[in-house]
Amino acid sequence: ILIFINLMLLLFLSLFFPDNNYLKIFLEFEPSYSSYSTLFLISSLVFLVGLYDDKYFLSANKKLIILSFILLLAIQADNQLMIKELSFSLGYLNLSLNDFATLFTLLCILLFINSFNMLDGINLLAGLYALTLLIILIIYNFNFLYLIIGISLLFFLFLNFNNRSFLGDNGSLLISYLIGISFIKEYNINQNFFADDIVIFMLIPGLDLFRLSITRILSGQNPFIGDRNHMHHLVLSKFSNNMSTLIIILLILMPIFLNIIHNNIIFVIILSIIIYSIFIFIFSKNKQSVKN
């Protein structure tokens, strides 16, 4: 709610002071009323879906259908949200998506929202990960939107650390949607990232989403229904909440640091997958031993 109120205030300021470059929150060279209204409408809908889910509970399938419909509206209303081509840092590899652009964009946003939501199981974890991504966005391109969300998150993290406030689905969905579309717009408009850069930033949460989905499917469960096999649940079987958060944040940052040091995307991805797999194997064994 804190972040949503700040977002709405920023939107209104942007409408009243359109010539102020620091208030060009939607990353366009010439912001339009349509872009502001799209951000206002879609962000509000995403936030309200999460708020309703927190209050009354939405089944995983219903929530997926509703979010897919809302995100399709956003993609169709704002052409700059459409991922039409994948450009890689390798230089010689560019992939045009053509007729699959809408579906691919929808899947990317949904996967990020779900992987982010899976982190929201212990205090500080999802908030610190969101703050990390916002810092990356600010480093590449200062934008008032990133700053406002970041400051709001700092206040939230203080409250969250003291068990006085929690993200809930309304916070998780809103933050992941805003960060997701920000990376897409930076990629499409400002070309600050390659496709593989974004994969690195989101690799570990994405791997955990993939692992959990496969495990649930093989067990005959709905891949969108939660369980207690997330990586933070595994780490919590041995460490405290704060120590578990620190360990997982370091694991999430690991591919980013590896990419800075080695600058070979294929090597970094393979090594990160190996390290993640070893990490999960060790803590899964530990969880089993604790149960026994």
Side-chain angles (χ1 to χ4, degrees):
I1 294 173
L2 173 70
I3 293 166
F4 181 73
I5 291 173
N6 277 283
L7 175 65
M8 293 302 109
L9 288 173
L10 184 57
L11 273 168
F12 286 121
L13 282 173
S14 300
L15 287 172
F16 286 116
F17 304 99
D19 294 329
N20 191 330
N21 289 332
Y22 290 107
L23 296 179
K24 290 185 177 180
I25 61 168
F26 222 30
L27 308 177
E28 291 186 5
F29 298 113
E30 295 181 359
S32 64
Y33 286 101
S34 62
S35 65
Y36 291 136
S37 59
T38 300
L39 179 58
F40 171 80
L41 175 63
I42 302 302
S43 298
S44 299
L45 289 174
V46 169
F47 170 75
L48 290 173
V49 168
L51 197 62
Y52 183 90
D53 188 30
D54 288 330
K55 180 70 175 177
Y56 300 107
F57 178 73
L58 274 173
S59 69
N61 291 335
K62 286 182 180 178
K63 186 161 58 176
L64 178 64
I65 293 170
I66 294 171
L67 283 176
S68 298
F69 177 74
I70 293 172
L71 294 176
L72 278 174
L73 284 178
I75 295 167
Q76 294 302 317
D78 186 355
N79 190 51
Q80 293 170 343
L81 272 181
M82 184 91 68
I83 304 173
K84 299 176 181 177
E85 183 180 77
L86 296 178
S87 300
F88 296 91
S89 60
L90 298 173
Y92 53 81
L93 185 57
N94 290 300
L95 180 62
S96 181
L97 296 172
N98 299 319
D99 295 336
F100 295 100
T102 300
L103 178 60
F104 182 82
T105 305
L106 175 63
L107 286 174
C108 284
I109 301 176
L110 281 174
L111 287 172
F112 176 66
I113 287 176
N114 276 280
S115 63
F116 184 88
N117 192 47
M118 285 184 173
L119 289 177
D120 186 28
I122 56 176
N123 287 358
L124 303 178
L125 182 56
L128 285 174
Y129 177 52
L131 193 61
T132 300
L133 294 178
L134 286 165
I135 291 171
I136 291 172
L137 287 166
I138 289 172
I139 290 172
Y140 278 86
N141 178 35
F142 175 81
N143 188 283
F144 213 65
L145 174 63
Y146 310 151
L147 183 63
I148 287 296
I149 300 175
I151 292 173
S152 301
L153 271 173
L154 287 174
F155 280 97
F156 163 74
L157 286 168
F158 173 78
L159 296 172
N160 189 226
F161 179 75
N162 291 286
N163 289 312
R164 295 175 60 188
S165 181
F166 307 94
L167 275 184
D169 266 5
N170 68 87
S172 176
L173 294 181
L174 178 64
I175 292 170
S176 55
Y177 170 72
L178 291 174
I179 291 177
I181 65 171
S182 295
F183 271 99
I184 291 175
K185 282 182 169 285
E186 289 286 358
Y187 173 81
N188 281 337
I189 301 170
N190 298 320
Q191 299 177 343
N192 282 323
F193 305 109
F194 290 104
D196 42 319
D197 290 327
I198 299 175
V199 169
I200 289 295
F201 300 147
M202 304 172 182
L203 182 60
I204 299 301
L207 287 174
D208 208 49
L209 172 66
F210 178 76
R211 174 184 67 86
L212 288 168
S213 298
I214 295 299
T215 302
R216 290 168 184 171
I217 290 171
L218 292 176
S219 302
Q221 301 172 1
N222 187 325
F224 302 110
I225 294 179
D227 54 31
R228 296 193 61 80
N229 289 317
H230 300 193
M231 56 183 171
H232 56 265
H233 291 134
L234 301 180
V235 181
L236 277 171
S237 64
K238 186 171 179 62
F239 295 100
S240 66
N241 186 107
N242 291 340
M243 182 58 69
S244 298
T245 297
L246 177 62
I247 290 171
I248 295 171
I249 284 295
L250 290 175
L251 180 66
I252 290 172
L253 291 175
M254 176 262 302
I256 301 173
F257 288 129
L258 284 176
N259 194 41
I260 294 172
I261 295 171
H262 200 276
N263 200 27
N264 184 318
I265 195 71
I266 296 176
F267 171 81
V268 170
I269 290 176
I270 293 174
L271 182 59
S272 298
I273 292 173
I274 292 172
I275 293 173
Y276 168 80
S277 301
I278 295 172
F279 176 90
I280 293 298
F281 176 79
I282 291 173
F283 281 99
S284 295
K285 286 290 185 182
N286 179 74
K287 186 178 181 181
Q288 288 296 324
S289 64
V290 169
K291 284 183 178 180
N292 294 334

